Amino acid sequence: MSAVDAGGADAGTARILEATPEAISEAADLLKQGRLVAFPTETVYGLGAAANQPAAVKRLFETKGRPADHPVIVHLGDASWLSAWAAEPPYAARQLAEAFWPGPLTLVLRRAEGVPDEVTGGAHTVGLRMPDHPVALALLRSFGNAVAAPSANRFGRISPTRAEHVAFDLGTDVDLILDGGPCQVGVESTIIDLSSGTPRLLRPGGVPLEAVEQLLGTRVGSAMDSTRDDAPRAPGTLPSHYAPSTITVAVPRATLADVAQVDDAVLAFGSDPTQGRATIVLPGDAVAAARGLYDALRRLDAAAATRILIEIPPDEPQWRTVRDRIFRAAAVR
Ligand code: TXA
Ligand code: MG
């Protein structure tokens, strides 16, 4: 199936380069010129712009179709860059950065003076992370400054975990796509807000919440409540995100076989509970399932099914992030 048939951008002319040292150095030059570069991280592909160039960040928001008051994560090439972007980071921030950077953890901190409003959406805080991917780190260091990068998809859609996904979504709207192969984590970073007295989880992600709590020696409160499948899900109350275009329904494993119709696309975990009706079966291990989740959602979305049915994985800590993304993909839109 061609990209255009499935409603993506015109992928034919997107510029994708294998992430060689030459391509990375060209990408760094493009960033210096205020252009947009998509690059791999360990979580998902990012759409990067020079974080210190407000006009470049503005273009980033326009390309993504993202509301201007929605802040973007600033990517650092080294933990020592943190002090240029955050004002008096608390001890907990140093501890977490030391333990989890480079890695899939974003820290929301009070912003340093001079951090552009375009980056923070006008907020007094800034989200910072150091990605654990050789291409991302080489790009950041070659550019020599921080890179603002949301996931390289259109706003509200499924995040890209392969260079082809970026090309499909953004086509020629991005100046260069660095291809570093499939992302190893496959879901976005965990976001912890440390800007007020008590740490709060803003988004579950690649670093388990329990690992953060263990390091800080304290419970981390949650600002989201979407991992409870017994919670009422009235229309419009769940923020829709990571969403396929096809109507998507989250279904308990026990009823998947009853609910599935012939023209549904079905995603299951571990094994197929529907006697052969599952379209894709991802591994029953939560880390491996997260790695394949977005690619699977994209394939199911391209299958021209009436609905996408997704099995709800167990209500256990290791499934927190996958469950969160499933509930958002299936939120009533
Ligand atoms: O894994 C990731 O974090 C990926 C890769 C590319 O690094 N990036 C990513 O960015 O997921 P994005 O823009 O798709 O999601 C950023 C999230 C948003 O939910 C935004 O609200 C939150 O981070 N965020 C960023 N800065 C923030 C701030 N100052 N305060 C609160 N939330 C913030
Ligand atoms: Mg995103």
Side-chain angles (χ1 to χ4, degrees):
M1 127 143 30
S2 87
V4 176
D5 287 343
D10 180 5
T13 38
R15 200 157 163 258
I16 306 184
L17 290 180
E18 190 196 330
T20 60
E22 294 72 33
I24 291 170
S25 133
E26 186 191 334
D29 286 340
L30 287 170
L31 289 174
K32 283 174 197 159
Q33 296 160 26
R35 314 272 292 272
L36 303 183
V37 173
F39 61 97
T41 79
E42 79 281 31
T43 58
V44 299
Y45 274 72
L47 179 62
N52 57 352
Q53 292 185 34
V57 177
K58 211 160 160 263
R59 189 173 158 220
L60 178 66
F61 276 69
E62 285 161 10
T63 299
K64 242 197 100 95
R66 181 173 197 155
D69 60 355
H70 203 103
V72 68
I73 294 173
V74 172
H75 294 68
L76 309 177
D78 194 273
S80 64
W81 297 9
L82 189 142
S83 47
W85 293 85
E88 297 159 31
Y91 178 64
R94 304 261 178 217
Q95 267 183 306
L96 289 174
E98 168 101 359
F100 296 109
W101 284 2
L105 179 72
T106 295
L107 301 176
V108 171
L109 302 169
R110 289 197 299 117
R111 70 170 171 183
E113 222 168 296
V115 174
D117 277 338
E118 283 77 3
V119 168
T120 66
H124 65 288
T125 57
V126 63
L128 301 169
R129 94 171 184 101
M130 179 182 175
D132 187 16
H133 193 292
V135 173
L137 290 174
L139 176 65
L140 286 160
R141 287 164 186 172
S142 173
F143 174 57
N145 208 325
V147 171
S151 50
N153 52 284
R154 304 263 184 222
F155 186 67
R157 315 307 304 191
I158 304 165
S159 298
T161 53
R162 295 169 182 267
E164 311 88 84
H165 296 164
V166 181
F168 179 85
D169 284 359
L170 301 179
T172 50
D173 287 353
V174 50
D175 296 305
L176 174 62
I177 302 169
L178 289 177
D179 188 350
C183 301
Q184 287 306 300
V185 175
V187 288
E188 299 82 351
S189 59
T190 302
I191 306 181
I192 302 286
D193 177 17
L194 293 172
S195 66
S196 67
T198 43
R200 282 188 319 148
L201 176 71
L202 299 187
R203 178 177 72 184
V207 169
L209 176 62
E210 290 70 23
V212 172
E213 292 182 327
Q214 193 176 14
L215 190 98
L216 295 179
T218 167
R219 286 296 306 271
V220 171
S222 175
M224 35 71 63
D225 190 31
S226 58
T227 58
R228 287 174 51 211
D229 54 358
D230 59 344
R233 262 172 289 137
T237 55
L238 262 191
S240 166
H241 224 95
Y242 317 102
S245 321
T246 312
I247 291 169
T248 302
V249 187
V251 184
R253 183 173 177 89
T255 53
L256 201 54
D258 294 334
V259 174
Q261 304 289 315
V262 278
D263 45 4
D264 289 331
V266 178
L267 176 62
F269 297 95
S271 62
D272 180 3
T274 68
Q275 285 84 42
R277 252 177 291 158
T279 317
I280 298 179
V281 179
L282 284 173
D285 165 75
V287 170
R291 188 175 298 137
L293 181 67
Y294 290 154
D295 187 62
L297 289 181
R298 283 171 177 268
R299 285 171 195 274
L300 296 171
D301 205 15
T306 307
R307 302 178 299 179
I308 295 173
L309 304 185
I310 311 178
E311 174 188 336
I312 303 173
D315 188 3
E316 292 164 8
Q318 71 269 25
W319 287 100
R320 180 182 292 109
T321 304
V322 170
R323 284 165 58 90
D324 172 74
R325 300 309 190 266
I326 290 172
F327 288 138
R328 287 172 197 274
V332 178
R333 274 166 276 149

